[in-house]
Amino acid sequence: MLDRWSLKHLKPGLKGVAKQLSRTGLRANHVTVTGFMIGMLCVPLLAYEQYSWALVALLLNRLADGLDGELARLQEPTDVGAFLDIVLDFIFYSAIVFGFALANPEQNSLAASALIFSFMGTGSSFLAFAIFAERRQLSSMTYPNKGFYYLNGITEGTETIAIFVLMCLLPQYFMQLAWMFAGLCALTTAIRVRSAVYSLKQSEQCKTKPTESS
């Protein structure tokens, strides 16, 4: 829901840094993979309750995620880059939740399981629609520069990172935050499924109209 707003404000600064990095010969995929490896450090850091250091790793991962997209647009966007970007992001999101479960299994495990379960709904509805949008050559007016169709929702990347930051700052409230966000993710899934079904039906109707009139 907030991605469009956050990208608008962050894009100029990221673009400037990306231009400098591009001159060094650094490739977008290198930034993607390096950012992912840094982000995965959150799992042991959270497990050992090093929440401040986990927050640093989380923010560095998100910085890399913003820079790789700008680098790709300056160089040449590729399907491999788009694939790595989205897959590694979803792994990273679940890894953060897993880290909190390891930190306090007795208190956090059930809420962490519910949150990862809700991520399956948001992720599958998001990615499945992208496949059919590509097949039907649908384009997103909201995020036209993305590597594939981005289906809007209440819980997008900005909201997810915001809740992770809150969890790192207030780890004692992880359970409450996780349950709340799991509910919002479930609502997002329902909205996306409804929107996707409507869009695909509209696309099918537009596709069959010329045949019916001929």
Side-chain angles (χ1 to χ4, degrees):
M1 188 169 63
L2 296 177
D3 278 6
R4 191 175 184 180
W5 176 85
S6 62
L7 288 171
K8 178 182 177 182
H9 288 82
L10 294 173
K11 191 178 179 70
L14 291 171
K15 190 172 184 179
V17 175
K19 285 181 179 178
Q20 297 298 321
L21 292 176
S22 186
R23 294 191 183 104
T24 68
L26 188 68
R27 307 299 297 178
N29 288 351
H30 298 157
V31 176
T32 301
V33 174
T34 301
F36 173 72
M37 294 172 66
I38 292 172
M40 291 305 290
L41 292 174
C42 288
V43 176
L45 289 170
L46 289 170
Y48 286 100
E49 302 183 60
Q50 300 297 311
Y51 299 113
S52 296
W53 284 110
L55 179 58
V56 171
L58 186 157
L59 294 176
L60 287 174
N61 171 273
R62 292 299 86 196
L63 175 62
D65 185 65
L67 288 173
D68 63 5
E70 292 303 321
L71 272 173
R73 281 182 276 279
L74 287 172
Q75 296 164 356
E76 185 178 355
T78 65
D79 289 343
V80 171
F83 172 79
L84 285 175
D85 184 56
I86 192 62
V87 170
L88 297 185
D89 271 358
F90 275 106
I91 295 172
F92 169 71
Y93 291 161
S94 294
I96 293 289
V97 182
F98 179 56
F100 277 102
L102 292 175
N104 191 336
E106 290 186 3
Q107 179 177 307
N108 293 345
S109 291
L110 184 58
S113 298
L115 185 52
I116 292 177
F117 173 60
S118 72
F119 282 172
M120 288 298 296
T122 55
S124 60
S125 59
F126 176 86
L127 295 174
F129 183 75
I131 294 171
F132 290 101
E134 178 70 20
R135 183 180 299 176
R136 296 175 184 275
Q137 298 183 326
L138 303 177
S139 58
S140 172
M141 300 303 294
T142 306
Y143 305 109
N145 295 322
K146 294 293 185 179
F148 45 84
Y149 198 107
Y150 264 52
L151 195 61
N152 296 344
I154 296 173
T155 55
E156 297 179 337
T158 302
E159 291 82 5
T160 304
I161 298 309
I163 204 72
F164 286 163
V165 169
L166 272 177
M167 289 171 175
C168 288
L169 294 174
L170 303 168
Q172 68 272 28
Y173 294 108
F174 170 81
M175 184 172 61
Q176 293 89 334
L177 292 169
W179 279 112
M180 178 194 71
F181 201 65
L184 291 175
C185 286
L187 183 57
T188 293
T189 300
I191 292 171
R192 282 180 173 171
V193 169
R194 184 179 183 278
S195 176
V197 169
Y198 175 80
S199 297
L200 292 174
K201 282 185 176 179
Q202 289 292 105
S203 176
E204 288 174 354
Q205 290 174 3
C206 291
K207 190 175 181 180
T208 57
K209 277 181 181 179
T211 305
E212 292 172 356
S213 60
S214 60

